[in-house]
Amino acid sequence: MDNLLVNYGLPLNLALEEISYYRGVIGEIIKEEAKNNDFSLDAFYQIISHFNSIVDNAIQFVSKSYVKDYTEKINYAQYAIDELSVPVVRMTEEIGILPLVGDLDTKRAQYLMESALEKGSQYKLERLIIDLSAVPIIDTMVADQLFKVIAGLQLIGVEVVISGIRPEIAQTMVNLEIKVEEVKSFSSLHQAVQYTNSFTESLM
């Protein structure tokens, strides 16, 4: 039942209300049977206690299972959001673009590293443009993580080109003493695309 509740977006209290309703119905049946069969008070108490224990266990089971399924669904949705928020777009067979939008926190930066390395290897990219035009600000921890991504990509043979570095981000890099001499950077995505395309054109 708990899985059905989560899948159909129904609240947990709906299941608990059903259990509570049937607790009352079955309780009445037990009471009538006790009267009809002249149960002693001790016997009736034992039956009711056992019945309530079974119902309480059922409530705990449904609640725990609901929370577990709900958490798994939330985590899956978060994974899908994270995957969509780090899209590596293939521009040509050898060149990819990673346009980042919105704030970069440490969790998203970690996913960025995993996704960029995976896609860079999967697509057999030679160059990857990481565009930061739509990233308002990056803190020191995220900037450090970003350059770990770049170092990781370079280790698997992918040249990284950065575009759209805002003044605030550039200041963070300077404060971190991050050396960017070996990483090509451009103020706009258009310039970065022109740069990467020049390699393809030179081979034609």
Side-chain angles (χ1 to χ4, degrees), residues 157-175:
V158 180
E159 179 191 353
V160 178
V161 178
I162 300 177
S163 66
I165 297 180
R166 299 163 66 90
E168 301 93 327
I169 296 174
Q171 185 63 47
T172 300
M173 292 176 181
V174 171
N175 292 339

Side-chain angles (χ1 to χ4, degrees), residues 48-69:
I48 285 295
S49 295
H50 184 61
F51 170 66
N52 282 331
S53 177
I54 292 172
V55 174
D56 290 340
N57 286 336
I59 290 172
Q60 284 191 34
F61 175 78
V62 170
S63 299
K64 288 178 181 177
S65 298
Y66 181 90
V67 171
K68 177 176 175 289
D69 291 335

Side-chain angles (χ1 to χ4, degrees), residues 6 8 12 15 22 34 37-38 42 49 93 96 102-103 107-108 124 127 138 145 167 171 174 181 185 193 203:
V6 172
Y8 286 100
L12 175 61
Y22 284 108
N37 292 279
D38 293 324
D42 286 342
S49 295
E93 286 293 317
D103 294 332
K107 181 182 177 182
R108 192 177 174 208
K124 296 180 172 59
R127 294 173 190 83
I138 295 178
Q145 188 72 28
Q171 185 63 47
V174 171
E181 290 88 349
S185 62
V193 170
L203 296 173

Side-chain angles (χ1 to χ4, degrees), residues 43-199:
F44 178 70
Y45 178 77
Q46 286 181 357
I47 293 170
I48 285 295
S49 295
H50 184 61
F51 170 66
N52 282 331
S53 177
I54 292 172
V55 174
D56 290 340
N57 286 336
I59 290 172
Q60 284 191 34
F61 175 78
V62 170
S63 299
K64 288 178 181 177
S65 298
Y66 181 90
V67 171
K68 177 176 175 289
D69 291 335
Y70 186 79
T71 302
E72 287 177 355
K73 190 169 185 179
I74 290 295
N75 289 340
Y76 180 80
Q78 185 60 53
Y79 176 83
I81 290 169
D82 289 340
E83 192 170 43
L84 288 171
S85 69
V86 187
V88 176
V89 181
R90 214 168 179 175
M91 192 169 69
T92 68
E93 286 293 317
E94 300 85 14
I95 303 170
I97 300 177
L98 177 52
L100 298 176
V101 178
D103 294 332
L104 274 177
D105 55 19
T106 50
K107 181 182 177 182
R108 192 177 174 208
Q110 178 61 38
Y111 188 82
L112 163 64
M113 185 169 193
E114 295 170 3
S115 180
L117 290 172
E118 179 187 345
K119 296 299 183 183
S121 176
Q122 179 186 337
Y123 295 158
K124 296 180 172 59
L125 297 176
E126 292 181 6
R127 294 173 190 83
L128 178 67
I129 301 171
I130 298 180
D131 182 55
L132 304 174
S133 301
V135 176
I137 193 165
I138 295 178
D139 63 27
T140 53
M141 290 182 66
V142 174
D144 184 52
Q145 188 72 28
L146 179 62
F147 276 84
K148 285 179 181 176
V149 173
I150 293 170
L153 287 165
Q154 289 173 335
L155 285 174
I156 63 171
V158 180
E159 179 191 353
V160 178
V161 178
I162 300 177
S163 66
I165 297 180
R166 299 163 66 90
E168 301 93 327
I169 296 174
Q171 185 63 47
T172 300
M173 292 176 181
V174 171
N175 292 339
L176 274 174
E177 298 182 357
I178 294 174
K179 297 179 180 179
V180 294
E181 290 88 349
E182 298 178 3
V183 181
K184 279 284 184 182
S185 62
F186 298 90
S187 60
S188 70
L189 178 59
H190 176 70
Q191 292 173 326
V193 170
Q194 280 188 322
Y195 168 77
T196 55
N197 281 343
S198 65
F199 288 92

Side-chain angles (χ1 to χ4, degrees), residues 1-12 14-16 62 66:
M1 177 186 284
D2 46 278
N3 192 264
L4 288 173
L5 289 171
V6 172
N7 287 341
Y8 286 100
L10 300 174
L12 175 61
L14 188 67
L16 299 183
V62 170
Y66 181 90

